Amino acid sequence: MNISKEQLDDLNAVITVDINKKDYSDKVDKILKDYRKNANIPGFRKGHVPMGLVKKQYGKAVLVDEVNKLLQDALNKYLTEEKLDVLGNPLPKEKEGFDWDADNYSFEFELGLAPKFEVDLKSKKAITQYKIVASDEMIENQLKTIQKQYGKLISQEAVDKDSLVRGTFTNEAEDIENETTVSLDAIKGKKNIDKFVGAKVGDTLTLKTKGLFNEDKDVMAALKIEEDKAKDLDVEVEFTIAEINKQELADLDQELFDKLYGPGNIKTVTELKERIKEDAEKQFSQQADQQLLNDITEHLLENTKFELPVDFLQKWIRATGEEELTEDQAKDEYEKSEKGLRYQLIEGKIINDNNLQVTFEELKDFAKDLIKRQMAQFGQNAPEDKELEDIAARILSNQDEVKRMSEQLMSQKLLDFYKENAKLKTKEVTFDEFVKEVYK
């Protein structure tokens, strides 16, 4: 057997594999002899079928199968030994007049080669790393939400500006009939609020949907309609009052603190505000980190230039697709996937050049931490070391879980690497400022 490579250019090559009769003949003969021993052919005793008949019936199929096995093994071994970084898989070239009745065979495969390039994280313009802080207003709002959640409802005879009013919105023409609870805080404009104030159970109010609520989402929820309809809906609805309550806020006392965070962990309102701020900023840091990853990804894609073997990749997409594709369809598929392929190559180079591999010990520690966090969420103590090891082992026996955790760990390794090596500038913002700036 002989294997050779013809380098067409930096990104394309052709491998030729020549297979001689002596490479496969012994294996084929052995298999056919085994077939002869076990063949059941009418008119012949088992094991006494003439070899000529066995070869005629099975010879071509066995030959093709064995040559293809030799071919794949030799090709894979060659790619590994030569350390060829290929994109996709080798594509067999069609050969006119190929003859399986010959003794010697020659096969050609097209290769698409990964490009050589360098990655530079030190851009001229620094990438923004957001630090999202909880504003005083956000903390106060969260405090108020907690008080409402743990407070109680007090029945009222008539609606006032602080009331929660349960009732049913109806409009027969628009097929609206929905029971809901309305907070007067959500009602827009003095004119609308005045219609509610003073009303009693059993009263029916006539209201215009346009300009009734401060937010479109409140219109959707109150009338149970889709967003597109809620945005421009301008009709009269009737609201029949079934119940009027007032929310009495829970006291900010030790009883509430203990309900929220366990006995004795929070002792003052100041400590509660600090905890709310801490918890909120932990969540914000995850969003900030994800945005940093997104921004660095875009930076790397824009600033890491290299060519790809486009023709080969489009041909490979056609050859390996689940459905048969035209050239134009393959081109469209390539264009959709090109950005992802480019980033895979960039990320792969960063991982390899900086030895950012995920080890089994890291995976095991990650699984243990995950178990302890999940148990803590349900108020359970972490298990003993032996039990923890056993649970982690069960998780790591699931390949899907291993893949998912490996991706999470690698994402964290890349994030840490970027924070240490990329040119960053820190910008402190509130969550509202972050949303406006990032999502515009």
Side-chain angles (χ1 to χ4, degrees):
M1 184 186 301
N2 182 58
I3 303 179
S4 59
K5 176 168 71 75
E6 179 187 0
Q7 191 79 31
L8 303 179
D9 55 41
D10 289 342
L11 300 173
N12 295 275
V14 173
I15 286 182
T16 302
V17 183
D18 295 319
I19 296 179
N20 300 316
K21 186 175 182 178
K22 64 180 182 180
D23 296 322
Y24 62 82
S25 58
D26 289 348
K27 184 71 173 174
V28 170
D29 288 343
K30 182 180 183 305
I31 292 171
L32 290 175
K33 285 176 183 176
D34 290 340
Y35 273 35
R36 185 182 181 221
K37 290 177 186 176
N38 299 297
N40 288 311
I41 297 178
F44 298 96
R45 285 184 296 146
K46 187 175 181 181
H48 289 77
V49 179
M51 181 55 80
L53 187 58
V54 172
K55 285 184 177 180
K56 184 177 180 181
Q57 190 160 348
Y58 302 109
K60 182 65 69 67
V62 172
L63 170 67
V64 171
D65 189 45
E66 288 307 309
V67 169
N68 277 324
K69 285 180 183 176
L70 269 175
L71 190 58
Q72 290 304 317
D73 289 345
L75 195 56
N76 292 335
K77 185 179 179 183
Y78 180 81
L79 294 177
T80 301
E81 289 178 349
E82 296 295 315
K83 298 179 180 177
L84 295 178
D85 194 359
V86 300
L87 300 179
N89 295 319
L91 289 178
K93 291 184 72 174
E94 289 187 18
K95 206 166 188 179
E96 289 185 15
F98 186 86
D99 184 10
W100 279 107
D101 291 327
D103 289 335
N104 302 321
Y105 310 106
S106 183
F107 301 91
E108 291 183 337
F109 293 86
E110 296 178 67
L111 297 185
L113 303 175
K116 306 294 183 188
F117 60 90
E118 296 300 323
V119 178
D120 183 11
L121 283 166
K122 300 295 185 183
S123 56
K124 292 181 181 177
K125 184 180 178 182
I127 299 168
T128 300
Q129 179 180 7
Y130 291 98
K131 181 183 178 184
I132 309 173
V133 296
S135 65
D136 291 342
E137 182 184 2
M138 175 177 279
I139 295 167
E140 290 297 333
N141 288 339
Q142 181 61 23
L143 202 60
K144 192 70 71 178
T145 299
I146 290 170
Q147 286 182 277
K148 285 181 179 179
Q149 183 181 347
Y150 287 88
K152 59 185 178 181
L153 295 177
I154 298 174
S155 180
Q156 291 181 287
E157 286 189 8
V159 178
D160 64 30
K161 290 184 180 181
D162 297 318
S163 294
L164 294 170
V165 187
R166 184 172 66 83
T168 301
F169 282 103
T170 55
N171 178 301
E172 191 173 339
E174 295 292 334
D175 196 25
I176 293 171
E177 184 174 354
N178 186 52
E179 183 180 305
T180 187
T181 297
V182 175
S183 168
L184 262 64
D185 292 343
I187 299 298
K188 184 176 181 179
K190 185 175 182 301
K191 185 177 178 182
N192 286 323
I193 291 173
D194 286 345
K195 288 184 179 181
F196 279 88
V197 172
K200 298 181 178 181
V201 171
D203 288 352
T204 297
L205 312 179
T206 300
L207 305 160
K208 294 277 283 185
T209 58
K210 191 171 182 65
L212 179 58
F213 290 95
N214 291 313
E215 304 283 345
D216 286 341
K217 62 181 177 63
D218 293 326
V219 181
M220 293 165 56
L223 306 182
K224 207 171 185 179
I225 56 176
E226 298 297 325
E227 183 178 2
D228 292 343
K229 186 175 181 180
K231 193 171 289 186
D232 299 316
L233 188 65
D234 186 9
V235 297
E236 281 191 348
V237 289
E238 291 188 338
F239 182 69
T240 303
I241 298 174
E243 187 178 1
I244 306 166
N245 292 299
K246 186 171 184 176
Q247 180 83 54
E248 184 178 88
L249 300 181
D251 291 331
L252 295 172
D253 55 16
Q254 193 61 50
E255 182 182 355
L256 178 61
F257 303 156
D258 291 348
K259 282 181 184 177
L260 291 171
Y261 295 106
N265 291 317
I266 301 290
K267 295 185 175 66
T268 66
V269 174
T270 300
E271 288 181 7
L272 177 59
K273 288 182 178 181
E274 288 172 355
R275 184 63 178 266
I276 291 171
K277 179 180 175 67
E278 179 186 334
D279 290 347
E281 290 180 355
K282 277 182 184 176
Q283 290 185 319
F284 295 157
S285 68
Q286 294 174 5
Q287 290 172 278
D289 283 347
Q290 185 57 56
Q291 187 58 40
L292 180 60
L293 272 175
N294 294 345
D295 290 341
I296 289 179
T297 298
E298 288 302 317
H299 163 78
L300 291 171
L301 285 168
E302 287 176 13
N303 294 280
T304 309
K305 304 298 182 185
F306 52 81
E307 297 296 321
L308 290 169
V310 178
D311 291 341
F312 170 83
L313 289 170
Q314 290 180 9
K315 193 183 294 185
W316 178 72
I317 288 170
R318 287 192 72 187
T320 58
E322 291 183 5
E323 298 179 1
E324 190 173 340
L325 301 177
T326 65
E327 286 187 16
D328 287 341
Q329 287 172 326
K331 183 179 179 182
D332 288 343
E333 286 298 314
Y334 170 75
E335 288 173 354
K336 289 176 189 174
S337 60
E338 182 189 7
K339 191 174 181 180
L341 174 59
R342 286 182 177 278
Y343 186 66
Q344 273 186 339
L345 291 169
I346 294 168
E347 187 181 83
K349 183 169 178 60
I350 292 171
I351 290 169
N352 290 330
D353 288 354
N354 298 281
N355 196 28
L356 301 179
Q357 307 303 323
V358 173
T359 67
F360 179 76
E361 286 302 314
E362 288 172 328
L363 268 177
K364 190 165 73 170
D365 290 342
F366 184 83
K368 288 179 180 178
D369 288 341
L370 184 66
I371 294 162
K372 288 189 279 191
R373 288 199 304 270
Q374 288 178 340
M375 295 186 79
Q377 285 178 349
F378 294 100
Q380 300 175 7
N381 293 325
E384 298 293 327
D385 287 344
K386 176 67 171 66
E387 186 182 355
L388 194 59
E389 286 277 347
D390 291 342
I391 299 171
R394 287 199 296 273
I395 292 173
L396 294 174
S397 68
N398 183 321
Q399 290 304 307
D400 290 337
E401 282 297 310
V402 169
K403 183 173 184 259
R404 184 182 63 81
M405 290 191 294
S406 295
E407 289 171 352
Q408 286 181 302
L409 273 171
M410 182 53 70
S411 182
Q412 187 59 52
K413 279 179 178 271
L414 284 166
L415 179 64
D416 293 341
F417 177 80
Y418 294 150
K419 285 181 177 179
E420 289 178 14
N421 294 279
K423 185 177 180 181
L424 305 176
K425 62 176 181 181
T426 301
K427 184 172 184 179
E428 188 173 293
V429 291
T430 65
F431 182 72
D432 288 341
E433 290 169 342
F434 172 76
V435 170
K436 286 178 184 176
E437 187 162 326
V438 170
Y439 301 107
K440 296 183 173 60

